[in-house]
């Protein structure tokens, strides 16, 4: 079911997938945190499928559009801090808890959504676990990659072309970002060791994204997507991101994580109470 | 401005977002704009173009429904025995019927980009509730003038050669499977049975019905080069009235840059205001 939620003056758009199947449970809830910018559009269909499959496994799922993206209120250039999008995730957590009656929620974040979810997880004791799907681990590198694609796009334009940047904002791949937001993105460094909840991390291939490896391995499971990444390929800028194999694997592991959390009665506990063994 | 979720169609399987203007700016009796999907991008449109258009129109007093066709975005698939019918025609008809029931408005302006423009054309021809259409990079046919302006002219354009070399350096050429994939995608979204004569006939019918039309084309759409191609294709001379045509020589097909998107939004909004700000009838077309 699709709905607007949050403050009436700045409504957020979300899609709630109710639980289905024999294992339908009101204790299991997931908030899907999508990527930002053009990656949000590329991954929309993939995340819809993932949400459907997770709900078929018996959990409530809420997909949200951040402020300035999708059908939600506002424009990206009005966002001056990452706190806005983090607050959006918190509003989605409250929303899915209200709909389902669940006491705790799993966050599934992809790309920059993973980085935002990780920050939210640190301050919300009602987040029981986190899925980090190819998360952005270094904001500076991430922005540099986007800027390189943007420059390449303009370089190959039919005529000499530039975008109008000023002291207040910069246009990158079709969206205008405020300087203050860019500054915060640049400063972002994902440290999964700070996340107290059990987590599932999806890496692109072995040896890359070491920042997603938790110092306490028992708290984390890592899966590897063997297919090459396409995030920084200009040819793929408007191609749908479809990864059926890794998506199925994630859905399966999400269900296993819920089973383990339930087994340890952790769906009703705060994050501090979770044991390290739960993730394994 | 207010936005609300609408579910309609068989068992409410279709989804749309209805954007309505504030009461103090609302243009009474104006048609509602119905925005269709571009390719497989969900209802917000490439680079959020459809949201920009909807909110721009709302500021000027017009309502919009941006919808997902069945099986796209957040709409469910269409089931039943009508699979041979054009899905877009059925879905758009469901949307218009729903809006008629909900708002009492019985006239609509259909808006689409690329495959959305193709679908908008089919819907406009078939459904007489459509009183206007915005066709962005829609149906085109290459003409002799196109070959002169596009192929011949670019040979003498240094930037063409520069970009061609750079593309090879940046990335490998398309593989056969990619080319096959593109052809398959094209056949999926375009019926392919529209001949030039049929389109000319369709457009004449729309003109006779008094349907207001705006055609926007971009340089990024590879099959058209220059505004004059419209007359070469269809034998119709664009004007500032019922049949308006705009060509953006610096824009990509999906309006990737904010500057291009803004220009398109403003053009669509001004056209809407001009043609429907005070209700246009077929007698006052020109």
């Amino acid at each position: 079911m699709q709905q607007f939620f949050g403050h009436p003056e700045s409504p957020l758009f979300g899609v709630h997938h109710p639980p289905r199947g024999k294992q339908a449970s009101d204790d299991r809830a997931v908030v899907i945190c999508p990527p930002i910018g053009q990656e949000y559009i590329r991954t929309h269909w993939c995340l819809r499928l993932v949400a459907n499959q997770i709900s078929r496994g018996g959990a409530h799922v809420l997909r949200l559009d951040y402020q300035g993206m999708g059908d939600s209120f506002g424009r990206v250039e009005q966002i001056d801090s990452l706190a806005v999008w983090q607050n959006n995730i918190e509003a989605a957590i409250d929303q899915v808890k209200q709909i389902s009656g669940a006491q705790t929620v799993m966050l599934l974040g992809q790309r920059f959504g993973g980085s935002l979810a990780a920050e939210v997880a640190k301050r919300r004791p009602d987040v029981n676990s986190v899925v980090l799907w190819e998360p952005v681990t270094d904001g500076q590198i991430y922005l540099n990659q986007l800027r390189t694609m943007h420059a390449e796009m303009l370089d190959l334009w039919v005529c000499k072309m530039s975008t109008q940047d000023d002291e207040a904002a910069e246009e990158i791949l079709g969206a205008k970002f405020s300087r203050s937001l860019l500054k915060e993105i640049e400063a972002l460094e994902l440290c999964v060791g700070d996340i107290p909840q059990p987590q599932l991390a999806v890496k692109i291939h072995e040896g890359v994204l070491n920042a997603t490896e938790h110092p306490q391995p028992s708290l984390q499971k890592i899966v590897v997507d063997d297919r090459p990444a396409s995030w920084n390929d200009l040819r793929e800028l408007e191609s749908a991101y479809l990864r059926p194999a890794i998506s199925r694997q994630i859905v399966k592991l999400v269900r296993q994580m819920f089973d383990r959390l339930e087994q340890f009665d952790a769906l009703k506990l705060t994050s501090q109470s979770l044991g390290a063994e739960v993730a394994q | 401005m207010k936005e609300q979720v609408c579910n309609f169609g068989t068992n409410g399987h279709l989804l749309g977002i209805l954007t309505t203007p504030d009461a103090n700016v609302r243009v009474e009796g104006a048609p509602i704009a119905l925005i269709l999907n571009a390719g497989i991008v969900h209802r917000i449109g490439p680079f959020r173009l459809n949201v920009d258009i909807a909110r721009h129109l709302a500021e000027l007093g017009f309502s919009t429904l941006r919808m997902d066709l069945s099986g796209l975005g957040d709409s469910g698939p269409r089931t039943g025995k009508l699979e041979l019918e054009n899905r877009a025609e059925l879905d758009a008809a469901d949307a218009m019927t729903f809006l008629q029931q909900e708002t009492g408005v019985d006239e609509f302006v259909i808006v689409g980009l690329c495959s959305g423009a193709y679908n908008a054309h089919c819907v406009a021809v078939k459904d007489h509730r459509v009183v206007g259409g915005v066709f962005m990079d829609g149906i085109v046919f290459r003409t002799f003038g196109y070959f002169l302006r596009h192929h011949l002219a670019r040979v003498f354009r240094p930037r063409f050669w520069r970009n061609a070399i750079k593309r090879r350096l940046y990335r490998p050429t398309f593989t056969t499977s990619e080319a096959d994939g593109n052809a398959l995608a094209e056949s999926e979204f375009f019926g392919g049975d529209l001949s030039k004569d049929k389109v000319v006939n369709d457009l004449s019918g729309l003109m006779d019905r008094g349907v207001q039309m705006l055609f926007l084309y971009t340089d990024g759409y590879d099959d058209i080069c220059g505004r004059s191609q419209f007359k070469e294709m269809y034998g119709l001379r664009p004007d500032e009235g019922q049949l308006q045509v705009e060509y953006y020589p610096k824009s990509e097909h999906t309006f990737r840059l904010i500057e291009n998107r803004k220009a398109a939004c403003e053009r669509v909004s001004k056209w809407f205001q001009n043609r429907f700000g005070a209700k246009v009838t077929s007698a006052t077309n020109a």
Side-chain angles (χ1 to χ4, degrees):
Chain A
M1 194 185 109
Q2 306 84 11
Q3 57 195 267
F4 283 102
F5 65 96
H7 195 280
E9 292 295 311
S10 51
L12 299 170
F13 180 80
V15 182
H16 172 236
H17 300 252
R20 285 176 288 168
K22 288 177 187 170
Q23 287 187 310
S25 165
D26 286 337
D27 291 333
R28 299 181 176 197
V30 181
V31 169
I32 293 188
C33 313
I36 61 168
Q38 180 59 13
E39 290 178 0
Y40 155 80
I41 295 180
R42 287 191 61 198
T43 57
H44 183 271
W45 182 251
C46 172
L47 291 178
R48 179 194 163 171
L49 295 180
V50 166
N52 262 337
Q53 288 165 17
I54 293 175
S55 70
R56 236 178 263 150
H60 289 264
V61 184
L62 183 73
R63 286 188 284 130
L64 91 144
D65 288 349
Y66 307 116
Q67 190 175 324
M69 264 168 252
D71 290 302
S72 286
F73 166 84
R75 298 190 302 276
V76 172
E77 64 198 81
Q78 296 166 327
I79 312 296
D80 56 4
S81 168
L82 290 177
V84 174
W85 289 334
Q86 288 161 4
N87 291 341
N88 293 164
I89 295 174
E90 295 211 48
I93 292 172
D94 294 337
Q95 181 72 5
V96 79
K97 281 171 69 180
Q98 193 188 327
I99 295 170
S100 63
Q103 290 180 25
T104 60
V105 170
M106 177 188 290
L107 295 181
L108 189 160
Q110 190 178 33
R111 294 287 287 162
F112 203 80
S115 316
L116 293 169
E119 283 304 312
V120 172
K122 289 177 198 171
R123 62 184 190 223
R124 289 282 298 229
D126 51 356
V127 171
N128 56 38
S129 53
V130 186
V131 180
L132 304 170
W133 189 345
E134 295 181 39
V136 171
T137 54
D138 187 313
Q140 181 72 63
I141 293 173
Y142 172 68
L143 271 184
N144 286 346
Q145 288 167 338
L146 294 184
R147 283 174 172 139
T148 302
M149 276 175 80
H150 183 78
E152 187 188 346
M153 179 180 79
L154 293 179
D155 190 39
L156 293 172
W157 212 259
V158 66
C159 55
K160 198 172 180 189
M161 180 60 79
S162 61
T163 42
Q164 303 297 316
D165 299 329
D166 52 37
E167 285 179 5
E170 179 182 346
E171 182 174 342
I172 305 174
L173 295 175
K176 207 155 208 172
F177 293 85
S178 71
R179 295 284 178 194
S180 57
L181 179 67
L182 289 173
K183 210 171 170 182
E184 288 190 24
I185 295 176
E186 275 166 10
L188 183 140
E189 278 184 42
L190 178 67
C191 181
V192 295
D194 295 343
I195 306 171
Q197 295 92 336
Q199 52 197 264
L200 169 67
V202 182
K203 300 202 315 185
I204 300 170
H205 53 80
E206 287 290 2
V208 180
L209 291 180
N210 287 331
T212 54
E213 287 177 16
H214 201 280
Q216 201 179 337
S218 61
L219 207 60
Q220 187 190 47
K221 183 169 184 66
I222 294 178
V223 289
V224 178
D225 185 357
D226 289 328
R227 288 182 61 178
S230 63
W231 303 117
N232 307 317
D233 186 345
L234 186 62
R235 284 178 307 174
E236 303 284 332
L237 182 65
E238 296 186 53
S239 304
Y241 173 89
L242 296 171
R243 292 286 193 277
I246 196 72
S247 298
R248 277 196 300 273
Q249 207 176 342
I250 290 169
V251 170
K252 190 177 156 195
L253 289 166
V254 163
R255 191 191 287 192
Q256 285 176 6
M257 279 173 81
F258 269 128
D259 288 344
R260 298 291 282 175
L261 289 163
E262 197 164 66
Q263 196 181 332
F264 287 92
D265 209 20
L267 291 175
K268 292 189 169 70
L269 299 174
T270 59
S271 58
Q272 288 86 347
S273 311
L274 294 175
E277 67 276 20
V278 173
Q280 287 301 297
Chain B
M1 185 192 76
K2 188 185 162 200
E3 297 202 308
Q4 64 188 89
V5 174
C6 300
N7 292 103
F8 50 93
T10 319
N11 305 321
H13 75 291
L14 294 169
L15 167 74
I17 304 293
L18 179 63
T19 308
T20 47
D22 292 332
N24 59 335
V25 295
R26 183 173 298 139
V27 178
E28 295 299 334
I32 297 177
L34 181 62
I35 309 181
L36 306 180
N37 299 93
I40 58 165
V41 181
H42 70 295
R43 64 199 165 276
I44 70 163
F47 299 92
R48 223 180 173 213
L49 174 69
N50 298 350
V51 177
D52 287 348
I53 290 175
R55 292 179 182 174
H56 221 100
L57 284 173
E59 284 172 16
L60 296 176
F62 302 101
S63 298
T64 305
L65 182 82
R66 53 180 186 274
M67 66 177 289
D68 282 327
L69 299 177
S70 46
L72 294 177
D74 290 304
S75 284
R78 179 174 282 277
T79 53
K81 295 176 180 173
L82 296 168
E83 64 270 15
L84 293 177
E85 297 283 327
N86 183 334
R87 170 182 65 176
E89 290 170 18
L90 297 170
D91 294 345
D94 282 348
M96 288 188 268
T97 303
F98 166 78
L99 289 169
Q100 270 182 305
Q101 288 163 355
E102 289 295 308
T103 66
V105 174
D106 56 6
E107 292 184 330
F108 302 92
V109 173
I110 196 132
V111 182
L113 166 71
C114 193
S115 67
Y118 171 87
N119 287 327
H121 174 91
C122 298
V123 173
V125 169
K126 197 166 183 179
D127 202 315
H128 285 227
R129 290 173 291 184
V130 175
V131 296
V134 179
F135 310 95
M136 296 181 276
D137 277 350
I139 304 160
V140 289
F141 300 93
R142 292 183 178 184
T143 61
F144 181 66
Y146 167 83
F147 283 101
L148 286 180
R149 287 187 302 274
H150 186 73
H151 289 304
L152 204 60
R154 74 181 184 183
V155 172
F156 298 103
R157 207 161 55 186
R159 195 169 177 92
F160 166 73
W161 293 106
R162 169 193 173 276
N163 284 2
I165 294 164
K166 279 202 162 186
R167 278 200 180 89
R168 287 292 175 100
L169 292 175
Y170 276 140
R171 49 184 109 127
T173 52
F174 271 115
T175 62
T176 313
S177 62
E178 279 173 313
D180 288 347
N182 288 344
L184 185 70
E186 197 173 308
S187 66
E188 170 70 16
F189 288 107
F190 296 93
D193 57 348
L194 282 181
S195 67
K196 193 152 99 175
D197 289 343
K198 165 106 175 51
V199 176
V200 169
N201 193 44
D202 288 347
L203 291 179
S204 299
L206 292 174
M207 294 288 283
D208 292 343
R209 264 173 48 201
V211 175
Q212 307 296 312
M213 288 177 274
L214 172 64
F215 293 84
L216 301 183
Y217 296 105
T218 65
D219 189 85
Y221 196 41
D222 214 28
D223 291 326
I224 187 164
C225 189
R227 187 172 179 264
S228 56
Q229 191 172 328
F230 190 84
K231 186 170 182 304
E232 293 166 5
M233 290 187 293
Y234 304 128
L236 298 167
R237 187 180 291 280
D239 53 26
E240 295 305 311
Q242 187 185 359
L243 184 67
Q244 300 187 20
V245 177
E246 197 75 59
Y247 182 77
Y248 294 108
K250 294 181 179 178
S251 180
E252 263 285 345
H253 176 49
T254 48
F255 299 95
R256 286 178 176 182
L257 301 186
I258 291 172
E259 178 190 331
N260 298 149
R261 229 160 36 239
K262 195 175 164 203
C265 277
E266 284 175 359
R267 184 69 176 90
V268 171
S269 303
K270 275 184 186 167
W271 172 82
F272 214 106
Q273 197 170 36
N274 174 257
R275 306 318 294 170
F276 301 104
K279 209 173 174 185
V280 174
T281 64
S282 53
T284 59
N285 281 330

